[in-house]
Each structure stands twice: as C-alpha cells, then as structure tokens.
C-alpha cells in the first residue's frame, strides 16, 4: 500500500500529464496565434497584468523550472516574470508555459483568445485544480513558489 506521499506524487504526475494534454489541445485549435517571443507580456510591471495559474499548471511550471537546475524562484527587481531569463530574455519554461501565457492579450501574437473558444479547456484546468485541493487560479509568482515548496 502506498504512502500518502506516493499518492500525492501520483496525483501530481497525472495532473501534469493532463495539463500538458490541455496545452496540446489548445495548440490544435484552428484559431491562429503566433507568439514571436517578444516577451513584452512577461514584463508584468509594464503591462500591469500577471498570469494566474491553477494548481496543475503551477506544478508543471515548477517541474519545468526545476529541470533547468534551479531551485528557488528569483524575485526580479524590475517587476518581470521570475521565469524570464534576464540575460537572454527568454522564458525558462517556454514549452510548459502556463495557459494564460498562451492565450493572453498580446496584440503581436494576434490578441487574446475569445473566452468562448477556450472555456472548455479552462474548465478542465479548474477541475484538475479542484482535484488537487487548489482554490482556483493564483498569481504566477505565488502559485509557482508554492508548487516548488511542496513538490
Ligand atoms: S512563464 Fe514564461 S511566457 Fe509566461 S510570463 Fe513568465 S517568462 Fe513569460
């Protein structure tokens, strides 16, 4: 019989796989969007907007961050996303970036996705969040820091 730690690990593994599946489903949607890696949307202090993550997204982001060999989330003084590499200005977890980073407001990428186009995917992310005992989407910094602390 597994320990509760093993069970939590299995639940986290399943959630991460499901979140990746949701991101893949989004990528298959016919609406064209083209992120050109301008990273303007990663400058939270300038945009005034911060992506909010469900718990499954935060777990995936935390694992992707760890896989870069880093442990603690930095606290950039310029108000940028802590997952933005300051030297290269590249997202450290681009392949696993959160849903909001894929569907947000960036005009250069084609503007925000209409909510009705992605509502069912949002519901699936929320269902994973509820299953993991989350309390709904939280700001990227807090959600990822928490996932790193409890993973
Ligand atoms: S997670 Fe990556 S894409 Fe999203 S805001 Fe942060 S650096 Fe930008």
């Amino acid at each position: 019989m597994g320990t509760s730690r093993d069970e939590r690990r299995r639940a986290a593994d399943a959630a991460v796989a499901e979140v990746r599946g949701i991101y893949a489903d989004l990528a298959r949607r016919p609406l064209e969007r083209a992120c050109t890696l301008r990273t303007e949307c990663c400058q939270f202090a300038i945009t005034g907007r911060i992506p909010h993550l469900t718990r499954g997204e935060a777990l995936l982001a935390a694992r992707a961050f760890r896989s870069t060999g880093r442990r603690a989330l930095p606290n950039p003084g310029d108000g940028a996303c802590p997952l933005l590499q300051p030297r290269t200005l590249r997202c450290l977890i681009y392949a696993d970036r959160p849903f909001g980073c894929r569907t947000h407001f960036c005009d250069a990428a084609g503007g925000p996705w209409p909510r009705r186009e992605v509502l069912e995917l949002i519901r699936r992310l929320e269902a994973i969040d509820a299953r993991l005992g989350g309390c709904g989407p939280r700001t990227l910094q807090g959600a990822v820091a928490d996932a790193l602390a409890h993973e």
Side-chain angles (χ1 to χ4, degrees):
M1 193 168 141
T3 64
S4 63
R5 190 185 165 85
D6 289 337
E7 284 162 12
R8 275 205 307 276
R9 167 64 56 173
R10 275 197 294 276
D13 289 348
V16 160
E18 243 180 283
V19 170
R20 280 203 169 112
I22 292 167
Y23 293 168
D25 284 351
L26 175 70
R28 281 191 288 271
R29 299 276 154 116
L31 200 58
E32 264 194 41
R33 283 293 178 275
C35 169
T36 53
L37 305 177
R38 290 165 66 142
T39 68
E40 287 166 8
C41 59
C42 312
Q43 304 292 342
F44 303 157
I46 295 172
T47 64
R49 300 180 74 171
I50 300 173
H52 281 55
L53 278 60
T54 53
R55 190 166 282 192
E57 293 173 87
L59 278 176
L60 175 53
R63 288 186 179 188
F65 178 72
R66 280 255 168 79
S67 75
T68 68
R70 294 167 173 85
R71 312 300 299 173
L73 209 56
N75 185 9
D78 60 359
C81 176
L83 298 170
L84 187 67
Q85 226 279 2
R87 195 172 46 79
T88 61
L89 286 184
R90 289 284 176 260
C91 174
L92 287 166
I93 62 156
Y94 190 75
D96 291 316
R97 68 198 186 284
F99 193 77
C101 304
R102 299 164 191 260
T103 57
H104 55 49
F105 50 92
C106 175
D107 288 332
W113 283 72
R115 191 171 157 82
R116 67 178 180 284
E117 297 276 346
V118 291
L119 191 58
E120 162 251 339
L121 300 178
I122 292 170
R123 295 282 181 256
R124 283 164 61 191
L125 290 170
E126 288 172 347
I128 297 167
D129 183 84
R131 213 171 62 219
L132 293 171
C135 50
R138 300 172 52 204
T139 59
L140 181 147
Q141 299 96 320
V144 176
D146 218 30
L148 283 168
H150 294 102
E151 258 287 276

